Amino acid sequence: MKKKISPAWFNFFMVAGIAILANFVSSYFSTYIDLTQDKRYTLTPATEEAVEKIDEIIYIKVLLEGEFPAGFKRLQASTREMLNQRKAINPRIQFEFENPVQGTQDEIIKTRDAQAKDGVVPTSLKYYDGTQLVQKAIYPYALINIGTKRAIVNLLEEQQPGSDEEVILNNSISLWNTSLPILFRRC
Amino acid sequence: MISIFWKEIHTFFSSLIAYMVIAVFLVLNGLFMWVFTDSSVLDYNYASMDPLFSLAPFILLILIPAITMRSFAEERQRGTIEFLFTKPLSDYDIIWGKFLANFCLVLFALLPTAVYYYSVYQLGSPVGNLDSGAIAGSYIGLFFLSASFVALGMLASALTDNQIVAFILGAFLCFVVHWAFDYLASLPVFIGNADAFIDGLGIQSHYDAMSKGAIDTKDLVYFAGLIAICITACHAIITSKK
């Protein structure tokens, strides 16, 4: 008996083909609706242009990795999100997250001293983790390398004395969107 | 299609299945969202529903294959599938009817989480200080994720006559399509060249993009394509097994 492809399978391959094609096409021509209240995901044309114009590889190392309280986790997530968004426009933007407080006590001290020379000074953070009060050094910094040029960015907004930590964090997160294009220009 | 839909819905609600699914989904979500300190919104200091949306895929990974495993496997095991196909219904009527019924049951489980929205809304300081637009986006993402899981689960159910096999296979398929591509993309071999492409093959990257509140046409096309592929594959398998 000669085996013939059944109409159902033919149908399946057709649909699969169309679906793959549609995905391919839509990755080039896509629009989106930004439902968030502050239009976080809508890049201004100026930002988009600034990111597109980058023709050198930008390497960004974010020192925000490890166990944090929720507020810093959100800062980390929004930083990653923001960088991913820009990377999608221009693949020359490369980034990684690194935990600077890792390894043995000696190693931690060594990296801390090395970073202090560059002006990367940790913020001391005290928080209650459910059973005890924990004190932790946290590095809310991004180190940016473009060719031989280097820039260090503090991800936290300048602290006003007496302002609430949550407020600082929330402000910092919304600040990210506006601060990065400026930063790229500065480099 | 409608008649199959009602028949299936009727089976769900006249047996324990529907009530079990809804109860288990809500109990697990409720515990993680409000009770366990690691993921509780109350300790989060920020009015959001993120814990629900990051957790729901894990719970649905188990629950949806449990709903869909009976779709075809049970009919075949009992021999009722022949009756179904002798009815004056097209194969697609049967498949889409079952798909919609399974999906509807998941929606019934998701519906009560609107109460969480109201609670978080009231707990915000000041009241109502949360991003409703982003939450709407997350819900849309969750609907598409559920629909994809249902389609994958039904595909698994069409492949076998054994419900347990259908369940395990369904959960495995959902896991692979949702998570595996993300892990694969993070392998050193692919970083910098194919990672974005591989990541885009999985559900996770599309779900995450939607959860943030930006509804992109390419994510919608991805989900529509995935569901269409699963349903036609399901149809092809059923007709070739007839």
Side-chain angles (χ1 to χ4, degrees), chain A residues 10-11 100 126 139 146 148 171 186:
Chain A
F10 179 72
N11 207 341
K126 280 200 194 95
Y139 290 82
I146 306 178
T148 51
N171 286 346
R186 213 196 296 157

mmCIF file of all heavy atoms in Angstrom, chain A residues 10-11 100 126 139 146 148 171 186:
data_model
loop_
_atom_site.group_PDB
_atom_site.id
_atom_site.type_symbol
_atom_site.label_atom_id
_atom_site.label_comp_id
_atom_site.label_asym_id
_atom_site.label_seq_id
_atom_site.Cartn_x
_atom_site.Cartn_y
_atom_site.Cartn_z
ATOM 1 N N PHE A 10 -1.620 16.910 6.740
ATOM 2 C CA PHE A 10 -1.330 17.990 5.807
ATOM 3 C C PHE A 10 -1.753 19.327 6.415
ATOM 4 O O PHE A 10 -0.997 20.304 6.423
ATOM 5 C CB PHE A 10 -2.075 17.726 4.491
ATOM 6 C CG PHE A 10 -1.845 18.803 3.473
ATOM 7 C CD1 PHE A 10 -0.617 18.919 2.837
ATOM 8 C CD2 PHE A 10 -2.853 19.705 3.167
ATOM 9 C CE1 PHE A 10 -0.403 19.921 1.911
ATOM 10 C CE2 PHE A 10 -2.639 20.716 2.256
ATOM 11 C CZ PHE A 10 -1.409 20.824 1.615
ATOM 12 N N ASN A 11 -2.977 19.286 6.953
ATOM 13 C CA ASN A 11 -3.529 20.447 7.637
ATOM 14 C C ASN A 11 -2.601 20.933 8.752
ATOM 15 O O ASN A 11 -2.318 22.125 8.887
ATOM 16 C CB ASN A 11 -4.860 20.009 8.253
ATOM 17 C CG ASN A 11 -5.805 21.162 8.390
ATOM 18 O OD1 ASN A 11 -5.385 22.317 8.359
ATOM 19 N ND2 ASN A 11 -7.072 20.852 8.541
ATOM 20 N N PRO A 100 28.735 40.841 44.415
ATOM 21 C CA PRO A 100 30.058 41.248 44.887
ATOM 22 C C PRO A 100 30.381 40.694 46.284
ATOM 23 O O PRO A 100 31.540 40.661 46.664
ATOM 24 C CB PRO A 100 29.979 42.770 44.904
ATOM 25 C CG PRO A 100 28.524 43.065 45.043
ATOM 26 C CD PRO A 100 27.755 41.908 44.526
ATOM 27 N N LYS A 126 20.041 47.394 56.939
ATOM 28 C CA LYS A 126 19.567 46.607 58.080
ATOM 29 C C LYS A 126 18.129 46.223 57.811
ATOM 30 O O LYS A 126 17.313 47.054 57.452
ATOM 31 C CB LYS A 126 19.624 47.456 59.359
ATOM 32 C CG LYS A 126 20.990 47.558 59.970
ATOM 33 C CD LYS A 126 20.842 47.974 61.437
ATOM 34 C CE LYS A 126 22.177 48.418 61.999
ATOM 35 N NZ LYS A 126 22.365 49.870 61.915
ATOM 36 N N TYR A 139 25.504 46.600 47.150
ATOM 37 C CA TYR A 139 26.147 47.464 46.162
ATOM 38 C C TYR A 139 25.146 47.850 45.076
ATOM 39 O O TYR A 139 25.036 47.145 44.086
ATOM 40 C CB TYR A 139 27.318 46.740 45.498
ATOM 41 C CG TYR A 139 28.524 46.511 46.376
ATOM 42 C CD1 TYR A 139 28.571 45.441 47.248
ATOM 43 C CD2 TYR A 139 29.625 47.363 46.301
ATOM 44 C CE1 TYR A 139 29.687 45.219 48.045
ATOM 45 C CE2 TYR A 139 30.731 47.140 47.092
ATOM 46 C CZ TYR A 139 30.757 46.065 47.962
ATOM 47 O OH TYR A 139 31.860 45.847 48.731
ATOM 48 N N ILE A 146 32.604 51.199 28.050
ATOM 49 C CA ILE A 146 32.490 51.371 26.609
ATOM 50 C C ILE A 146 33.899 51.556 26.099
ATOM 51 O O ILE A 146 34.529 52.572 26.378
ATOM 52 C CB ILE A 146 31.651 52.608 26.230
ATOM 53 C CG1 ILE A 146 30.297 52.543 26.921
ATOM 54 C CG2 ILE A 146 31.495 52.701 24.725
ATOM 55 C CD1 ILE A 146 29.435 53.729 26.646
ATOM 56 N N THR A 148 37.416 51.868 26.194
ATOM 57 C CA THR A 148 38.307 52.054 27.333
ATOM 58 C C THR A 148 37.677 52.960 28.390
ATOM 59 O O THR A 148 38.206 53.117 29.473
ATOM 60 C CB THR A 148 39.628 52.689 26.873
ATOM 61 O OG1 THR A 148 39.314 53.848 26.104
ATOM 62 C CG2 THR A 148 40.435 51.722 26.026
ATOM 63 N N ASN A 171 11.327 55.580 44.085
ATOM 64 C CA ASN A 171 11.766 56.659 43.214
ATOM 65 C C ASN A 171 12.892 56.194 42.299
ATOM 66 O O ASN A 171 12.923 56.533 41.120
ATOM 67 C CB ASN A 171 12.256 57.852 44.038
ATOM 68 C CG ASN A 171 11.107 58.595 44.669
ATOM 69 O OD1 ASN A 171 9.952 58.382 44.281
ATOM 70 N ND2 ASN A 171 11.393 59.423 45.646
ATOM 71 N N ARG A 186 26.556 60.433 28.211
ATOM 72 C CA ARG A 186 27.690 60.928 28.956
ATOM 73 C C ARG A 186 28.958 60.119 28.650
ATOM 74 O O ARG A 186 30.064 60.620 28.677
ATOM 75 C CB ARG A 186 27.380 60.863 30.455
ATOM 76 C CG ARG A 186 28.022 61.987 31.232
ATOM 77 C CD ARG A 186 28.034 61.674 32.711
ATOM 78 N NE ARG A 186 26.683 61.583 33.268
ATOM 79 C CZ ARG A 186 26.423 60.905 34.385
ATOM 80 N NH1 ARG A 186 27.364 60.240 35.007
ATOM 81 N NH2 ARG A 186 25.209 60.882 34.862
#
